[in-house]
Amino acid sequence: MVQGPTPAPPGAPKPVPTAPRATVDAEVVAPYELTGAESIVRSLEAAGAEVVFGIPGGAILPTYDPLMDSKRLRHILVRHEQGGGHAASGYAHATGRVGVTMATSGPGATNLVTPIADANMDSIPMVAITGQVGASLIGTDAFQEADIVGITLPVTKHNFLVTDPDDIPRTIAEAFHIASTGRPGPVLVDIAKSAMQSRTTFSWPQALDLPGYHPVTKPHSKQIREAARLLASARRPVLYVGGGTIRSGAAAELRALVDLSGAAAVTTLMARGALPDSHPQNLGMPGMHGTVPAVAALQKADLVFALGARFDDRVTGKLSSFAPHATIIHADIDPAEIGKNRIADVPIVGDLKEVIADLLPELQREHEKNGRPDLEAWWRQIDSWRDTYPLGFTEPEDGHLAPQHIISRLGEISGPDSIYVAGVGQHQMWASQFIRYERPNTWLNSGGLGTMGYSIPAAMGAKVGQPDRTVWAIDGDGCFQMTNQELATCTINDIPIKVALINNSSLGMVRQWQTLFYESRYSNTDLHTGHGTRRVPDFVKLAEAYGCVGIRVEHANEVDAAIKRAEEIDDQPVLVDFNVSRDAMVWPMVAAGVSNDDIQYARGISPAWDRED
């Protein structure tokens, strides 16, 4: 086993991070007197923020007055703080820039807990600014007081409580730096109302002093050489590609590594698009609802090279039986992830872009020295799995639409340059399976936390960040009813997202589990119980009430026309209500807690791949 990484020698100088800065006028960064509230606005401008998704309230109100005068910040008034948090996350995911959300104290701040936890799980760079009661009132159970710093401590990358207005510029500069460097994540800045109302001198820091925060981006050369040696000599290699590859902007480097190594590649739910689906070595998504070839390749591999992935339980299944014959190379920018779930034979700490860039010449040298590995038998086996177990679906017997067909046609008609944002559940899995992703940052979803209600506000944020791209929210009727009020935000602010509502009148994924594991006892998963054929709500009417175009689709011959009509509308949001079968299920499937060897290709059908070593 290769140990690592080797720390810097004692006394070695550490790089001094510079404060994040946009191109701003000299007057913005030169010291001058103003209120703490004005300092918050100026700090956001200096940090390079462009958009703030938020909603005012008592404790944050002093900041909303100078925010009105900013010529650099666009504020979008959301209908719920959770929507503002997910919108900031969607903006960050689609652009790679830090998303910003703002809320007041107490319930305003606690409504941000879910999107903050969501961003933390999926490594999204986000800064949440919350108002807090006056410094003298903290700890007295004052009106709308909540210890949001304490509440969010486990689900933020870092957080701050600011009571001195002089600390505002430095704190916001540090927040943006921490959120966007190393493993990205959410940072909360809680600011007392008394600090906003006090006078201060604004001075934007030119450098940051963050003792103990020194993310390692450059990998250790010894581990890189060992990884190259193992990859060059493996006979059944698999590149296990995670979302860290997208966060690091390493898609081009990954493509080069796949081409040079000849290895099979699997892209996790968070990494869809990191490698084009059209690439012949891409086996698709692994895990609970992954493709059979992707799951089988990991189980039979003699080498698994994890790139920005964390051996999540949804990928590994029963951990003790995952990739049982494989040597493990694990590269990640977060050292805490390496060895957390699966011991790595070769641990590599570093930014994936730099890791792969350093690996490529070493791998080339190994090939020149020893020749390229013979992978013909491996690919013959993989191609056999591909031919035998392709992704597919059966038409529903109840006469309703097949959701897989709708999502497949949506991807084909809208194309690979569109951005697709899924909620959580069956529609999320179908969207990951049946749309072909050809570029990074075109697939947004709540992967780690699995947050229902994510899709609509995240699609709104993505459209704000990428106004020239078509943005489709693919949502279920259960998820949609949690945050659909943000369609009003979209209409009022001219954010023309498109919504494909996969409407099965049920909490679909829960219903699927009830079918499979609870003898079809459908406890509280029917969203229309007691109303017969009535539509509660009528989603087309609801869309129209929000100022959107509403379209209903009930027959297969209407699907393409509805999608094309939605594509043609670019001056207001569109919702297409696709009425689908509630009996449709997501396959393949590995039941929770069982081995990936027990994957079911369809109900009652288990792949009979060769399990001999």
Side-chain angles (χ1 to χ4, degrees):
M1 179 182 291
V2 177
Q3 303 297 322
T6 303
K14 293 184 173 67
V16 178
T18 57
R21 288 242 336 240
T23 303
V24 294
D25 297 337
E27 66 183 46
V28 173
V29 294
Y32 63 101
E33 189 174 298
L34 74 183
T35 66
E38 291 169 326
S39 181
I40 294 170
V41 174
R42 298 295 177 264
S43 295
L44 289 173
E45 292 174 340
E50 299 173 336
V51 184
V52 177
F53 300 92
I55 187 166
I60 196 68
L61 195 59
T63 298
Y64 269 80
D65 186 63
L67 184 61
M68 191 175 184
D69 299 324
S70 175
K71 294 180 174 60
R72 296 186 178 89
L73 293 176
R74 177 187 181 188
H75 181 273
I76 294 177
L77 176 62
V78 296
R79 295 306 181 265
H80 191 282
E81 290 88 358
Q82 182 179 351
H86 290 317
S89 175
Y91 172 91
H93 194 154
T95 64
R97 298 190 291 272
V98 177
V100 182
T101 187
M102 191 178 291
T104 194
S105 64
T110 58
N111 281 341
L112 282 177
V113 171
T114 295
I116 287 172
D118 188 277
N120 191 58
M121 289 285 278
D122 289 345
S123 304
I124 303 292
M126 187 169 82
V127 170
I129 295 177
T130 54
Q132 184 54 276
V133 300
S136 64
L137 295 175
I138 293 175
T140 69
D141 291 333
F143 177 67
Q144 290 193 333
E145 181 188 359
D147 178 13
I148 195 61
V149 168
I151 290 168
T152 61
L153 191 63
V155 294
T156 51
K157 186 176 179 182
H158 194 68
N159 59 26
F160 299 88
L161 172 62
V162 179
T163 57
D164 184 342
D166 293 347
D167 293 337
I168 289 171
R170 174 188 56 78
T171 303
I172 290 180
E174 290 176 358
F176 272 75
H177 178 74
I178 293 169
S180 60
T181 56
R183 179 179 181 173
V187 177
L188 179 129
V189 182
D190 193 34
I191 306 176
K193 186 174 183 178
S194 54
M196 301 180 204
Q197 294 172 319
S198 300
R199 303 292 295 181
T200 183
T201 299
F202 178 83
S203 180
W204 187 247
Q206 301 306 300
L208 302 178
D209 182 20
L210 293 168
Y213 181 69
H214 302 287
V216 175
T217 60
K218 187 71 173 174
H220 195 287
S221 59
K222 185 178 181 181
Q223 275 93 328
I224 291 293
R225 289 194 299 271
E226 181 66 4
R229 184 187 69 80
L230 290 171
L231 187 56
S233 59
R235 291 297 178 263
R236 300 189 303 277
V238 177
L239 302 178
Y240 163 26
V241 181
T245 310
I246 289 180
R247 296 289 173 268
S248 68
E253 289 78 8
L254 173 66
R255 175 70 178 263
L257 177 61
V258 171
D259 290 340
L260 179 60
S261 68
V266 300
T267 50
T268 68
L269 183 66
M270 294 306 299
R272 305 290 287 119
L275 180 71
D277 277 342
S278 59
H279 195 288
Q281 291 162 240
N282 190 346
L283 308 187
M285 187 174 72
M288 176 174 279
H289 293 297
T291 69
V292 170
V295 173
L298 284 169
Q299 290 302 97
K300 301 299 290 183
D302 65 355
L303 176 74
V304 171
F305 195 158
L307 297 158
R310 54 190 177 87
F311 292 87
D312 175 72
D313 63 287
R314 285 303 195 255
V315 170
T316 66
K318 184 179 179 181
L319 186 61
S320 61
S321 66
F322 175 72
H325 311 295
T327 298
I328 302 295
I329 306 171
H330 191 177
D332 202 287
I333 197 165
D334 185 353
E337 290 295 348
I338 297 177
K340 184 178 78 174
N341 293 326
R342 176 69 179 262
I343 297 298
D345 298 291
V346 182
I348 303 174
V349 177
D351 183 89
L352 263 295
K353 194 176 182 72
E354 295 192 44
V355 167
I356 301 175
D358 287 0
L359 179 66
L360 289 169
E362 292 294 338
L363 183 59
Q364 183 65 48
R365 277 190 279 272
E366 286 289 333
H367 288 171
E368 292 170 356
K369 178 182 177 182
N370 300 310
R372 297 178 67 88
D374 181 6
L375 303 178
E376 183 179 351
W378 181 225
W379 278 105
R380 191 162 53 245
Q381 175 65 82
I382 289 172
D383 288 339
S384 174
W385 292 328
R386 283 170 155 171
D387 292 341
T388 308
Y389 305 109
L391 277 174
F393 61 93
T394 57
E395 290 293 334
E397 296 179 356
D398 58 9
H400 285 87
L401 296 170
Q404 303 95 327
H405 170 72
I406 292 165
I407 291 171
S408 177
R409 292 301 297 150
L410 175 61
E412 290 167 4
I413 293 170
S414 193
D417 288 333
S418 295
I419 296 174
Y420 303 92
V421 187
V424 169
Q426 289 180 312
H427 61 281
Q428 175 191 26
M429 295 299 105
W430 289 320
S432 68
Q433 292 174 332
F434 289 97
I435 294 176
R436 294 179 66 80
Y437 298 98
E438 297 295 311
R439 53 184 291 182
N441 300 312
T442 55
W443 164 245
L444 282 62
N445 78 118
S446 172
L449 198 62
T451 305
M452 294 179 69
Y454 169 88
S455 179
I456 300 299
M460 176 174 70
K463 183 65 175 177
V464 170
Q466 299 281 5
D468 297 329
R469 305 273 293 280
T470 298
V471 177
W472 276 96
I474 302 172
D475 219 356
D477 50 320
C479 288
F480 177 74
Q481 292 183 78
M482 294 189 175
T483 52
N484 65 68
Q485 67 270 21
E486 298 307 337
L487 286 179
T489 310
C490 291
T491 296
I492 291 169
N493 290 278
D494 299 318
I495 306 169
I497 68 169
K498 307 179 194 304
V499 181
L501 188 63
I502 309 303
N503 179 4
N504 64 1
S505 304
S506 301
L507 300 175
M509 187 61 87
V510 182
R511 190 178 194 274
Q512 175 169 332
W513 281 49
Q514 288 173 335
T515 300
L516 298 175
F517 309 120
Y518 293 90
E519 300 177 342
S520 298
R521 288 166 55 84
Y522 300 120
S523 174
N524 292 283
T525 46
D526 184 346
L527 295 174
H528 284 182
T529 298
H531 292 280
T533 59
R534 284 181 59 195
R535 304 179 190 274
V536 183
D538 184 318
F539 290 114
V540 170
K541 290 181 179 178
L542 181 64
E544 292 170 349
Y546 278 133
C548 309
V549 174
I551 304 169
R552 179 171 291 116
V553 176
E554 296 179 315
H555 304 287
N557 60 6
E558 301 169 342
V559 170
D560 284 17
I563 295 170
K564 290 175 182 177
R565 182 184 169 198
E567 287 276 315
E568 293 168 356
I569 299 170
D570 59 6
D571 59 350
Q572 63 188 121
V574 184
L575 181 145
V576 187
D577 179 13
F578 293 102
N579 286 257
V580 305
S581 172
R582 65 173 56 190
D583 293 323
M585 291 196 188
V586 183
W587 300 106
M589 181 177 179
V590 179
V594 306
S595 170
N596 282 349
D597 287 330
D598 297 321
I599 187 173
Q600 291 189 52
Y601 178 56
R603 190 173 186 181
I605 301 174
S606 296
W609 67 58
D610 178 14
R611 289 186 171 87
E612 294 181 4
D613 295 341

